[in-house]
Amino acid sequence: MKEEKMLRAFSLVDDDLVEKAAPREQKPKIPFWWKRLAYVAVAACLMLAVVLPIAFMGGDNDSVPVISKLDDTTQNADETAPMVSAGDTLPLPADTQFVTTQSAVDTAKPAPDVTKQPIDVGVGPLDAYKDSEYFSLIEMLDALLSESEIDLPPSQPTAPDIAPSGVTNDFSGSLTGADSIQRSDTHIFCLKDEKLEAYTVSGHDFVCVGAFDVGDMSEFSLLDGGKKVLLLRSSSIWTKLLLLDVSDPACMKELRRVRITGRLCSSKLTDAGLVLATNYTVWEAPEYDNPTSFVPYMQYDGGEANHLPMEDIILPTDKLLGLDYAVIYSLDPDTLTLQSRKAILGSGAAKITENYVFIHSWHSTTLANTLRRYTDLYCFDYQDGVLTYRGDLTLEGRVSSLDEKDGILRVVADVAYRNSYEHYSGVSFYCVSLQSVRVVAELKEFTENGQTVQSVYFDGDTVYIGTQHATSSPTSIYLVDFSNHANILCVTPDEPIARSISLAAFGDGAVLGIGYGNRDFVGGPYPHTIGIFKREGDKAVSVAKYRVENAAEATGHLPSSLDREYYLDPERQLVGFAVRTKNEDNSVKTEYILLHFDGKTLSEFACVEIGGDPCAVHTLLLDGKLHVFGDKEHRVISV
Amino acid sequence: MNAQMEDNKIIALYFERSEDAIAESQAKYGKYCYKIAKNILSSHEDAEECVSDTWIKAWGVIPPQKPKRLSAFFGTITRNLALNRMESFFAEKRGGVILPILDELSEILSADGEDEVVDAIVMKEAINTFLASLPTQVRKIFLQRYWYVRSVKEIARDFNLTENHVRVILHRTRSDFKTHLANKGVCL
């Protein structure tokens, strides 16, 4: 960004001006009566000739495990971009008619026949599509970094209005422009324009049967078989929850509203409860006589603040940190009533599994001029919704991904050490027994020097690890087989096929990788590249690859592959996503591409123009039809 | 170990290749560098690592370099390391102060969007002549905002001004800076 370049340019300011402008160190104000109390206490101590321990956060305590911090860089399959999986179909009225070029709609869901023309012509509101002028500021930054002159592509002309011709309007009342869409057995719920809306499908109509104002909530989950909806919003300061009764979608009711201090970093709904992990930072100098200013708390329905008790805070033994907390909450999902909570003084990342919560924080330590990274890992279980501390350990490296199975925690970590003479970065893998909270197996520094973790996918007793040398270099896929703890194997990677690859399950031992391939020119867009990876002997190979041609994403730098929704259907071996592409006249359009893997190749099953922002596209599978909802348009693809 | 060792003695330790150089640097400037990094990055750990990297880098360049102003020297290294790290982060990992600052800096940028490679020497001269022309307090406020990446609230508290007053000063100074850059033929 140019703004970042401007900010960096300030580093050119003369040293003497910088030094003279240095801010004065601020000390937190202590109320006068605290000082007076302290003097009295000291005087009493001297009189009694007893030295009293001063109780403060960080004082000695017999049971104070070291605190870990949260810094989650995990990109597990279950933590990637919202990927819509093919679920059960929504029952539709028996007389539903669809306009389709196929001779009959096949509702038995076999593998799709790619020889047919699968594109249905159902279209929602037929607004004209206009795209803004396409110009990337990043291209200028690239030019500066490469220190060479480049010919920038010309500014893209405005796309012409698209006249609706030869298109049949099959569906009305579409779910276009929604922030997110989910379905229960009976209804479709969508979050749109600060409302939760409920729809049914009646013939070719999406009919809105109810709506509820939810304010700035940004995501939701269906609970209790679709009878309740839990909405959530998290900022750097607050996490807000709203529980609604939607058993009658025409008459939705608010059940409970909760506000929790801190930013949400992980959550999971399990049989034991709704578990949330937050990071709470005290931004301002605390007022010591006002706990609300420095102790995490929660509020129900705008009521009294319920502060975290001191006895639920785990303190470090060997360091006093700033006022950051990693707080874990276990709530009753039916009522959001608090069941249990624990906190660690210090921020960190969280991983919540079916039975455990792991808080981890990393730090760098310089010894003999060599800088090394370590992670402190804290383990909790939460049987019956009650959080219990299990223990902690320190691993070398910065934890990138965690996964727990059968009482063994599997850890992938970025390892780095450097001094003036040498520099190493690579990846290590650990197995930690949760019985003893100790490492029982490890494979250390198994990648080439210079590699850092890009993405991780655990598959049983193997783990696929995507690594890269630098931010924009291709991703190598390593496979680690730890089925035998005494002999952990590392399968060597094949030639890289793309950058910034995220990994996901794709059935039958295959792993799907979504990333970005080489761009056609310096400063140009990186095209989406999809790959299927499998283990073949001692290699993790790419067995199929697909690259989007004529890519025209509105950026010249490497974007995150998690910036949009992907449709994954391992059963049908389909993967779908929206992307911007260029026409022959260099105008830009948005297309939805649905790919099919036949065991050997990835090919286009369907490609439909949808319009609008590709990152705002959502999909929904209904009775063998994939509904694709854009900003303003709606397409239906028979699968 | 003297936590407030004089700068020339710290530099001498670097020249002697004594490991105490890093310890003394950390003791005297650790907090200062940490604050600079933390203002840019939201993560305590990343800020700490930037500070640690600062000493490694300093160890590599002193000697032959002999900084005249050690605080600014270390601070600039930390600042650049933090900016490097920030640019690889997605928005959610950036410091809370950085996003509004980037918005403010967009006002200084040229609107015509022409691509131009700006020479660092030209830019350095333009920035420093502009800053030298400012009244002392205005210059300090401007640098605390855009070099030290501090919040308006912190700056107002330091200078005993209202936040609104600080915002007005920054707004006017940004406008003057934009004019100054245009007059110098520097377009971003």
Side-chain angles (χ1 to χ4, degrees):
Chain A
M1 289 172 59
K2 288 168 76 175
E3 294 83 0
E4 289 170 352
K5 198 156 63 81
M6 185 74 242
L7 185 66
R8 186 180 286 279
F10 275 84
S11 293
L12 299 168
V13 173
D14 287 340
D15 286 352
D16 61 336
L17 295 180
V18 169
E19 189 173 78
K20 286 172 186 171
R24 291 176 289 121
E25 192 174 329
Q26 291 287 334
K27 292 181 182 173
K29 289 183 182 173
I30 300 176
F32 175 70
W33 64 268
W34 258 79
K35 293 180 186 174
R36 175 172 284 180
L37 190 62
Y39 294 141
V40 169
V42 168
C45 291
L46 289 173
M47 287 172 62
L48 296 171
V50 172
V51 177
L52 297 174
I54 297 179
F56 185 66
M57 288 190 284
D60 286 339
N61 187 316
D62 285 340
S63 58
V64 280
V66 179
I67 287 174
S68 69
K69 297 179 187 177
L70 307 177
D71 190 11
D72 191 357
T73 61
T74 298
Q75 291 183 10
N76 258 343
D78 61 344
E79 291 169 349
T80 51
M83 296 194 185
V84 179
S85 296
D88 293 333
T89 58
L90 186 70
L92 293 173
D95 62 347
T96 300
Q97 296 292 322
F98 296 98
V99 175
T100 176
T101 56
Q102 292 174 257
S103 56
V105 174
D106 189 345
T107 57
K109 297 192 289 291
D113 184 346
V114 296
T115 60
K116 293 181 183 174
Q117 294 298 316
I119 300 174
D120 203 322
V121 292
V123 175
L126 299 176
D127 292 341
Y129 164 66
K130 286 184 182 181
D131 198 4
S132 56
E133 212 169 328
Y134 163 62
F135 186 71
S136 170
L137 300 176
I138 293 300
E139 289 157 2
M140 289 196 288
L141 182 58
D142 276 343
L144 287 164
L145 292 174
S146 64
E147 298 182 347
S148 62
E149 292 181 359
I150 61 166
D151 291 327
L152 287 175
S155 299
Q156 303 303 318
T158 304
D161 292 355
I162 295 176
S165 61
V167 177
T168 304
N169 185 358
D170 284 315
F171 277 84
S172 64
S174 181
L175 306 182
T176 54
D179 297 319
S180 61
I181 303 173
Q182 292 191 45
R183 48 171 290 186
S184 66
D185 289 338
T186 55
H187 291 81
I188 300 167
F189 293 89
C190 93
L191 196 57
K192 189 175 169 183
D193 298 329
E194 299 193 345
K195 285 189 169 58
L196 180 74
E197 297 177 340
Y199 288 80
T200 56
V201 180
S202 172
H204 293 173
D205 294 333
F206 283 102
V207 179
C208 183
V209 297
F212 192 94
D213 280 325
V214 296
D216 59 355
M217 293 295 168
S218 57
E219 53 187 283
F220 71 97
S221 298
L222 297 175
L223 308 179
D224 196 13
K227 294 178 189 166
K228 289 181 184 163
V229 165
L230 175 66
L231 297 115
L232 194 144
R233 172 165 181 86
S234 181
S235 67
S236 60
I237 301 172
W238 294 104
T239 296
K240 298 179 192 173
L241 295 97
L242 174 61
L243 186 65
L244 300 180
D245 177 351
V246 298
S247 53
D248 179 5
C251 185
M252 300 189 215
K253 292 175 198 154
E254 178 175 320
L255 292 175
R256 201 140 204 198
R257 205 175 273 265
V258 183
R259 197 167 74 151
I260 298 173
T261 51
R263 175 183 62 86
L264 184 72
C265 50
S266 190
S267 64
K268 193 172 181 73
L269 182 64
T270 70
D271 292 336
L274 173 65
V275 182
L276 309 171
T278 62
N279 271 338
Y280 173 59
T281 298
V282 179
W283 295 105
E284 304 294 335
E287 299 164 9
Y288 295 105
D289 55 351
N290 177 11
T292 305
S293 69
F294 65 95
V295 179
Y297 63 93
M298 54 192 307
Q299 285 174 307
Y300 284 98
D301 303 313
E304 291 281 316
N306 181 351
H307 290 97
L308 182 70
M310 281 294 295
E311 58 266 26
D312 285 335
I313 302 175
I314 297 173
L315 309 175
T317 51
D318 58 354
K319 49 192 168 187
L320 178 63
L321 305 170
L323 282 176
D324 294 300
Y325 302 78
V327 191
I328 313 167
Y329 298 86
S330 169
L331 308 179
D332 180 336
D334 289 329
T335 60
L336 300 186
T337 303
L338 179 67
Q339 299 179 142
S340 176
R341 59 185 162 179
K342 287 276 186 264
I344 297 173
L345 190 62
S347 62
K351 170 73 177 181
I352 305 173
T353 66
E354 284 299 317
N355 299 298
Y356 295 90
V357 181
F358 304 100
I359 304 289
H360 55 98
S361 71
W362 68 277
H363 53 91
S364 297
T365 302
T366 302
L367 293 171
N369 285 339
T370 299
L371 185 70
R372 289 180 184 269
R373 286 176 176 167
Y374 297 91
T375 294
D376 297 322
L377 186 67
Y378 297 85
C379 307
F380 298 81
D381 68 37
Y382 58 96
Q383 292 183 14
D384 300 323
V386 178
L387 290 159
T388 305
Y389 174 69
R390 295 291 299 265
D392 63 270
L393 76 165
T394 298
L395 302 170
E396 183 170 357
R398 173 178 175 169
V399 166
S400 177
S401 183
L402 300 170
D403 185 74
E404 181 266 325
K405 185 184 170 203
D406 299 332
I408 298 291
L409 177 66
R410 296 87 68 86
V411 183
V412 176
D414 274 313
V415 174
Y417 56 83
R418 53 183 174 273
N419 51 43
S420 297
Y421 312 106
E422 62 174 332
H423 177 196
Y424 173 82
S425 62
V427 184
S428 290
F429 175 78
Y430 304 94
C431 288
V432 177
S433 162
L434 294 171
Q435 187 72 23
S436 59
V437 195
R438 290 291 176 264
V439 175
V440 295
E442 62 187 13
L443 184 68
K444 299 191 85 170
E445 299 167 20
F446 61 87
T447 63
E448 288 181 4
N449 190 359
Q451 298 291 314
T452 57
V453 177
Q454 165 66 32
S455 52
V456 176
Y457 171 66
F458 285 93
D459 182 15
D461 287 334
T462 59
V463 55
Y464 290 81
I465 303 172
T467 69
Q468 60 190 23
H469 187 269
T471 309
S472 60
S473 64
T475 303
S476 298
I477 307 294
Y478 288 82
L479 188 153
V480 174
D481 181 342
F482 52 92
S483 52
N484 181 356
H485 283 180
N487 184 24
I488 298 180
L489 301 173
C490 175
V491 173
T492 55
D494 197 8
E495 287 298 313
I497 66 162
R499 297 167 174 74
S500 187
I501 289 183
S502 293
L503 300 171
F506 206 56
D508 193 26
V511 174
L512 179 78
I514 300 170
Y516 294 88
N518 293 327
R519 47 189 179 177
D520 293 331
F521 54 88
V522 174
Y526 289 94
H528 265 78
T529 300
I530 312 294
I532 305 287
F533 299 91
K534 282 190 177 185
R535 179 176 181 175
E536 288 186 0
D538 64 347
K539 278 201 166 192
V541 300
S542 162
V543 298
K545 187 171 78 173
Y546 174 87
R547 180 181 188 273
V548 172
E549 298 300 329
N550 301 316
E553 294 289 314
T555 176
H557 71 276
L558 193 65
S560 164
S561 54
L562 308 180
D563 63 350
R564 67 198 68 194
E565 185 180 291
Y566 293 85
Y567 174 71
L568 293 194
D569 189 344
E571 185 182 339
R572 296 176 179 80
Q573 296 283 276
L574 294 172
V575 54
F577 56 96
V579 67
R580 277 200 176 94
T581 56
K582 275 192 290 191
N583 293 312
E584 285 183 4
D585 61 356
N586 278 337
S587 59
V588 176
K589 64 185 177 208
T590 297
E591 295 182 303
Y592 193 83
I593 299 175
L594 192 61
L595 303 176
H596 175 247
F597 178 56
D598 64 3
K600 290 181 185 172
T601 57
L602 264 173
S603 56
E604 276 187 18
F605 177 78
C607 183
V608 293
E609 193 166 334
I610 182 77
D613 181 2
C615 299
V617 170
H618 301 285
T619 55
L620 198 65
L621 185 70
L622 296 174
D623 200 27
K625 302 280 187 182
L626 184 67
H627 291 253
V628 182
F629 303 103
D631 283 340
K632 296 177 183 176
E633 293 183 347
H634 167 203
R635 294 284 186 271
V636 183
I637 303 172
S638 292
V639 297
Chain B
M1 182 187 303
N2 183 355
Q4 296 298 326
M5 183 179 280
E6 292 171 13
D7 285 356
N8 57 345
K9 291 182 179 171
I10 295 177
I11 293 172
L13 289 173
Y14 279 96
F15 272 77
E16 291 164 15
R17 306 317 278 167
S18 165
E19 290 179 8
D20 286 343
I22 291 181
E24 293 296 339
S25 302
Q26 171 67 34
K28 187 168 184 182
Y29 293 111
K31 258 195 211 174
Y32 166 79
C33 291
Y34 172 83
K35 186 71 175 143
I36 292 171
K38 189 70 161 51
N39 281 346
I40 295 172
L41 306 166
S42 65
S43 161
H44 163 73
E45 296 82 8
D46 285 306
E48 273 201 339
E49 194 166 72
C50 278
V51 174
S52 298
D53 275 347
T54 298
W55 314 137
I56 301 286
K57 278 211 178 297
W59 183 264
V61 300
I62 307 173
Q65 285 200 45
K66 196 171 184 180
K68 289 179 183 170
R69 299 189 186 276
L70 207 53
S71 63
F73 179 79
F74 287 148
T76 302
I77 294 176
T78 304
R79 187 177 191 274
N80 285 336
L81 288 171
L83 288 175
N84 287 345
R85 201 172 281 235
M86 180 200 77
E87 284 166 10
S88 67
F89 285 168
F90 304 129
E92 63 270 15
K93 288 186 80 174
R94 296 181 175 180
V97 185
I98 205 73
L99 293 174
I101 283 180
L102 291 175
D103 280 343
E104 291 166 18
L105 290 177
S106 67
E107 296 172 18
I108 302 172
L109 299 172
S110 168
D112 60 17
E114 285 294 324
D115 177 29
E116 186 168 329
V117 178
V118 180
D119 187 87
I121 295 175
V122 169
M123 189 62 171
K124 182 181 169 89
E125 196 267 343
I127 283 185
N128 286 292
T129 50
F130 173 73
L131 292 172
S133 69
L134 295 175
T136 304
Q137 179 167 283
V138 171
R139 178 172 61 242
K140 286 183 178 178
I141 289 174
F142 198 64
L143 284 175
Q144 286 203 11
R145 182 66 172 160
Y146 301 116
W147 199 100
Y148 287 96
V149 191
R150 300 185 81 209
S151 68
V152 168
K153 188 168 186 173
E154 287 175 318
I155 296 171
R157 188 180 57 206
D158 259 11
F159 288 89
N160 241 350
L161 301 170
T162 63
E163 289 181 38
N164 194 54
H165 192 173
V166 171
R167 287 197 184 93
V168 168
I169 291 173
L170 288 170
H171 176 74
R172 286 180 185 158
T173 312
R174 286 196 301 271
S175 178
D176 292 342
F177 188 36
K178 180 172 180 174
T179 305
H180 177 82
L181 289 177
N183 291 340
K184 292 283 184 180
V186 176
C187 288
L188 281 174

